[in-house]
Amino acid sequence: MRKISRVAAMIAVVLLFTFVQIACQPAADTNRSESLAPANTNSGRETVDTASIEAELLRIENDWPRVIKEKDVAAIGRVEADDAIFIYPDGSVGNKQQDLNDIAGGALTVDAIEMSDLKVKVLNNDAAFVTGQTEFKNGKYKTPDGKAMDISGKYRFIDTFARRNGDWQLVAGISTKITATAAPTASPAAPTATKASPAMKPSPTMRTSPAGSPAVKAPTTTSSPMTKATP
């Protein structure tokens, strides 16, 4: 019994000594640790190679005249995404397969295509869009019923690109035809009204004729699905 009491006393002394050592140690300087830690200057910010992306997308856009004239369906297959959606100048909606059919089947013919006013807006490393203007010279589109539609003229477009598996692909596009607007002409001055003589009252049978009906609008032709900037 005394042996057990002696062991218990020794354990109590050891525990007390250990507690005193821990209490006497200086507290850790948390401010110093934070100040010595390296600063994270990047903060996960993405580095975008804007110049390289702009050059690649301009190359793609400027190659469309050759692609269409040479009926390069392989190039269309590479550049246009399988799930691409296009809105044509007549308001209809098309896709990649329709473009491939139009080019391969010879539905679209044109003497020359000119690209101009191209501008690239880079959103990030994997998304960008291009705006610009396309002019078709002596362009014809053969409709399914065999008729040839004139699609010559200038078109304004916007193309949306996405980088997939390292390659830039066209995923959406919309175009509209640029129509010339006539300058407004000044209307002729109204003649000064003269007071009628009291004796010159109009006869009850002399009724004023109705105003002329507005001019009939010329029929408009819908543009072909291929009159967008991209094939």
Side-chain angles (χ1 to χ4, degrees):
M1 185 71 179
R2 291 179 60 188
K3 186 176 182 180
I4 297 175
S5 301
R6 184 180 300 176
V7 171
M10 291 178 63
I11 293 175
V13 171
V14 172
L15 291 176
L16 178 62
F17 180 75
T18 303
F19 175 77
V20 172
Q21 283 187 326
I22 295 175
C24 294
Q25 288 182 354
D29 189 355
T30 55
N31 294 329
R32 177 179 174 81
S33 300
E34 291 177 357
S35 62
L36 294 179
N40 186 1
T41 57
N42 292 331
S43 300
R45 185 179 301 172
E46 182 182 35
T47 302
V48 180
D49 190 353
T50 303
S52 176
I53 294 173
E54 289 179 349
E56 175 62 13
L57 297 186
L58 289 176
R59 182 196 67 78
I60 292 174
E61 294 288 6
N62 283 312
D63 194 40
W64 285 121
R66 180 199 66 79
V67 170
I68 295 175
K69 290 199 69 175
E70 298 179 5
K71 297 180 174 58
D72 190 350
V73 293
I76 297 175
R78 289 192 305 271
V79 174
E80 292 189 6
D82 292 340
D83 56 351
I85 298 176
F86 305 114
I87 299 178
Y88 303 127
D90 63 354
S92 61
V93 180
N95 51 41
K96 175 180 180 178
Q97 190 58 51
Q98 183 172 345
D99 283 358
L100 290 172
N101 294 341
D102 287 341
I103 294 296
L108 177 66
T109 59
V110 62
D111 287 349
I113 302 175
E114 292 184 0
M115 309 290 293
S116 62
D117 197 23
L118 297 177
K119 294 181 176 64
V120 180
K121 176 63 177 178
V122 178
L123 302 179
N124 53 50
N125 272 323
D126 300 312
F129 61 86
V130 182
T131 59
Q133 182 175 300
T134 305
E135 181 176 3
F136 290 84
K137 296 183 177 180
N138 192 27
K140 303 292 181 182
Y141 179 78
K142 186 182 295 184
T143 59
D145 57 3
K147 295 180 180 179
M149 182 185 301
D150 186 7
I151 60 171
S152 303
K154 295 181 179 180
Y155 298 82
R156 179 72 63 180
F157 72 90
I158 179 170
D159 286 342
T160 303
F161 289 85
R163 177 150 38 193
R164 295 176 173 177
N165 299 321
D167 297 324
W168 285 99
Q169 287 193 312
L170 179 62
V171 296
I174 183 172
S175 62
T176 182
K177 190 168 186 179
I178 302 174
T179 56
T181 55
T185 56
S187 58
T192 304
T194 58
K195 292 183 178 180
S197 170
M200 297 175 60
K201 291 183 179 181
S203 168
T205 59
M206 295 172 60
R207 304 176 74 177
T208 306
S209 63
S213 59
V216 178
K217 292 184 179 179
T220 57
T221 57
T222 57
S223 55
S224 75
M226 283 303 301
T227 54
K228 63 185 182 65
T230 56

